[in-house]
């Protein structure tokens, strides 16, 4: 522990690429980095995308060499200060009409969010995931916060408490979240789909290229995806009618539940792409809670019960086997289905090598891990060619 503020600065690579404080010529470290990155160009087969939720993160990802966005988590846009009040109004509304009235106020804001990201990415693929977390995450839980929020919204604190109570779940990660919220409260996904499609259509009207990919979280049964996809296609038809713009877009799904992996053949009848959510998939295959496993996983690894933390390095015999099964079944139904991974493993070298070996199209990781993923993808391709993988 050091007392006081420690002088710190970003690495020179970041200073050149992101902060633009240094010119490439001024940094020896950057030149070394750049030389290694250039060696990787053209070697790897895997494309490298980034998980980015905001335009500035997308710009960072591009600076590190990302070729698209594999996961834009839209819930982060809901938590923003100017919006959380509207989201809470929506959750507190007693019926669909009230929810719709509240959520419509978010439409222009979401449209702006997506426009920002599409502009930065300039025609590269952008995969936007519709809302995923359980709704209670947007409500305050502490007593003093409940009073303050209720006051701000002009509702009695008892109403917020009641709603909180109604939404409380024993196992929220296995509860009312992902597409389950989108199906039971369709107005949320309708608004998000409209925001994506209107924003992309407007950019097309300006003759800019856009490649939107709409991703549905936590699908476990094909009928869930079918229901949400039909809704998105209906909204798309409305937007086409209103704007006169014919827009190309993809609808696909996260594969992050064992049932989705096993029934990937059926799911691929609806899904134009699969994106393996290996955080949730690891959680549900092991039956480990992501949040609670930190209590015993270090012991497991120290005592060699598990070779590695499966939330860090993909568990190939278990989670990996399910992914391979899903790839095989998904391709059997839809030969050219686009396949990627967007869990934390997407930036971990051994997991990247596995993704290369089973023929995924891309890995997606946080912007700062993109260089590691590029290097890992190049190593994996070289090893494969030399027959080492
Ligand atoms: C995942 O489950 O792997 C994933 C990327 O989604 P999230 O971490 O947001 O649940
Ligand atoms: Mg997930």
């Amino acid at each position: 522990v050091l007392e006081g503020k420690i002088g710190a600065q970003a690495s020179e690579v970041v200073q050149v690429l992101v902060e633009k404080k240094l010119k490439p010529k001024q940094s020896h470290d950057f030149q070394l980095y750049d030389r290694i990155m250039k060696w990787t160009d053209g070697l790897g087969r895997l494309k490298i995308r980034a998980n980015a939720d905001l335009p500035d993160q997308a710009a960072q990802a591009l600076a590190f060499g990302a070729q698209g966005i594999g996961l834009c988590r839209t819930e982060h846009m809901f938590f923003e200060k100017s919006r959380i009040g509207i989201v809470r109004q929506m959750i507190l509304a007693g019926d669909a009409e009230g929810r719709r009235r509240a959520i419509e106020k978010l439409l222009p804001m979401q449209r702006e969010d997506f426009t920002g990201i599409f502009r930065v990415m300039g025609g590269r693929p952008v995969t936007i995931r519709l809302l995923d977390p359980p709704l209670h995450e947007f409500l305050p839980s502490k007593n003093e916060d409940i009073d303050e929020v209720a006051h701000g919204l002009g509702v009695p604190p008892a109403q917020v408490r009641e709603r909180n109570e109604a939404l409380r779940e024993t196992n929220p990660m296995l509860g009312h979240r992902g597409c389950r919220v989108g199906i039971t409260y369709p107005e949320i996904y309708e608004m998000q789909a409209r925001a994506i499609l209107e924003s992309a259509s407007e950019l097309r009207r300006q003759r800019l290229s856009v490649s939107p990919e709409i991703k549905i979280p936590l699908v476990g049964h094909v009928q869930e995806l079918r229901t949400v996809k039909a809704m998105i296609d209906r909204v798309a038809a409305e937007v086409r009618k209103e704007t006169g713009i014919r827009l190309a877009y993809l609808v696909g799904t996260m594969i992050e539940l064992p049932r989705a992996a096993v029934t990937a053949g059926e799911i691929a009848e609806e899904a134009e792409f699969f994106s393996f959510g290996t955080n949730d998939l690891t959680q549900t295959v092991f039956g480990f809670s992501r949040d609670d496993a930190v209590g015993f996983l270090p012991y497991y690894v120290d005592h060699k019960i598990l070779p590695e933390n499966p939330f860090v390095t993909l568990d190939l015999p278990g989670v990996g086997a399910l992914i391979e099964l899903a790839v095989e079944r998904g391709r059997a139904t839809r030969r050219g289905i686009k396949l990627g991974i967007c869990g934390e493993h997407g930036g971990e070298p051994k997991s990247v090598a596995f993704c290369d070996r089973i023929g995924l199209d891309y890995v997606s990781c946080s912007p700062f891990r993109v260089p590691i993923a590029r290097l890992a993808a190049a190593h994996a391709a070289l090893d494969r060619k030399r027959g080492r993988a």
Side-chain angles (χ1 to χ4, degrees):
V1 177
L2 298 166
E3 192 185 340
K5 189 167 188 250
I6 302 164
Q9 58 180 16
S11 81
E12 292 190 5
V13 173
V14 172
Q15 288 187 46
V16 172
L17 288 176
V18 179
E19 296 178 350
K20 313 248 186 281
K21 279 189 193 156
L22 284 179
K23 298 241 177 317
K25 268 194 250 151
Q26 292 171 298
S27 168
H28 180 62
D29 284 359
F30 173 76
Q31 288 168 28
L32 293 176
Y33 160 86
D34 196 43
R35 191 183 319 159
I36 292 173
M37 285 300 124
K38 287 204 171 104
W39 287 341
T40 71
D41 284 344
L43 278 183
R45 186 193 52 74
L46 277 173
K47 295 226 174 342
I48 312 297
R49 295 199 195 179
N51 296 352
D53 310 328
L54 299 165
D56 63 336
Q57 291 172 358
Q60 278 172 2
L62 272 189
F64 287 124
Q67 293 158 295
I69 291 186
L71 172 62
C72 169
R73 291 178 164 105
T74 53
E75 51 269 24
H76 295 167
M77 300 163 174
F78 279 37
F79 279 111
E80 244 180 53
K81 240 193 188 153
S82 59
R83 306 169 183 195
I84 185 81
I86 304 174
V87 176
R88 287 172 174 158
Q89 278 171 6
M90 186 264 300
I91 296 171
L92 290 174
D95 54 16
E97 199 33 52
R99 277 197 297 276
R100 200 176 296 280
R101 261 201 311 276
I103 201 97
E104 262 166 20
K105 291 188 223 157
L106 282 179
L107 176 66
M109 301 178 188
Q110 285 261 271
R111 211 167 33 217
E112 217 172 284
D113 293 330
F114 301 135
T115 302
I117 295 178
F118 286 140
R119 274 190 192 282
V120 169
M121 295 309 290
R124 295 174 184 85
V126 175
T127 311
I128 297 170
R129 181 178 76 185
L130 304 187
L131 194 74
D132 185 34
L135 293 182
H136 70 81
E137 283 194 12
F138 298 100
L139 290 183
S141 53
K142 285 198 206 127
N143 259 334
E144 59 271 29
D145 296 341
I146 290 180
D147 290 341
E148 196 188 314
V149 165
H151 182 72
L153 293 173
V155 298
Q159 191 183 338
V160 180
R161 280 199 183 87
E162 237 171 65
R163 197 73 186 108
N164 244 340
E165 207 40 51
L167 291 173
R168 206 168 49 183
E169 296 177 313
T170 311
N171 293 302
M173 283 298 103
L174 299 178
H176 195 188
R177 56 169 286 222
C179 66
R180 301 162 192 172
V181 173
I183 288 170
T184 48
Y185 297 155
E187 45 287 342
I188 304 178
Y189 277 12
E190 274 170 24
M191 180 281 289
Q192 291 198 293
R194 178 168 280 277
I196 295 167
L197 297 161
E198 285 184 352
S199 151
S201 300
E202 172 56 23
L203 292 170
R204 285 296 299 129
R205 199 187 57 76
Q206 297 170 21
R207 305 210 172 284
L208 297 168
S209 38
V210 271
S211 304
E213 301 180 347
I214 303 177
K215 174 155 77 174
I216 316 304
L218 219 72
V219 165
H221 194 288
V222 64
Q223 193 57 29
E224 292 176 312
L225 182 59
R226 198 169 282 140
T227 304
V228 177
K229 190 175 179 215
M231 187 261 286
I232 294 171
D233 290 341
R234 176 175 53 71
V235 171
E238 287 165 14
V239 172
R240 187 161 54 237
K241 208 159 159 208
E242 288 153 19
T243 61
I245 308 264
R246 212 162 244 294
L247 179 79
Y249 63 95
L250 299 182
V251 177
T253 182
M254 301 282 288
I255 298 283
E256 52 185 346
L257 291 175
R259 193 182 190 286
V262 173
T263 60
E266 275 178 22
I267 290 182
E269 286 167 15
E270 301 294 327
E272 292 170 294
F273 63 87
F274 284 169
S275 174
F276 291 98
T278 46
N279 303 331
D280 269 303
L281 196 57
T282 301
Q283 175 163 259
T284 47
V285 167
F286 272 100
F288 290 163
S289 151
R290 255 196 266 185
D291 304 311
D292 301 330
V294 285
F296 60 86
L297 269 183
Y299 184 97
Y300 264 36
V301 175
D302 286 348
H303 292 78
K304 313 249 179 294
I305 310 269
L306 289 178
E308 272 160 309
N309 178 343
F311 289 105
V312 175
T313 304
L314 207 56
D315 159 55
L316 300 190
V319 180
L322 260 186
I323 295 176
E324 280 192 82
L325 182 81
V327 166
E328 189 189 303
R329 294 189 175 174
R331 283 204 174 118
T333 300
R334 191 184 289 261
R335 197 138 59 92
I337 189 166
K338 237 189 204 187
L339 302 167
I341 177 178
C342 66
E344 287 305 310
H345 307 89
E348 192 279 322
K350 280 191 232 165
S351 313
V352 172
F354 168 77
C355 295
D356 176 79
R357 206 158 58 239
I358 63 168
L360 297 196
D361 298 301
Y362 68 85
V363 297
S364 188
C365 56
S366 88
F368 284 86
R369 296 181 91 184
V370 164
I372 297 286
R374 287 170 65 190
L375 197 57
H379 279 156
L382 283 176
D383 282 349
R384 193 164 24 84
K385 276 182 206 145
R386 291 177 186 150
R388 281 201 225 134

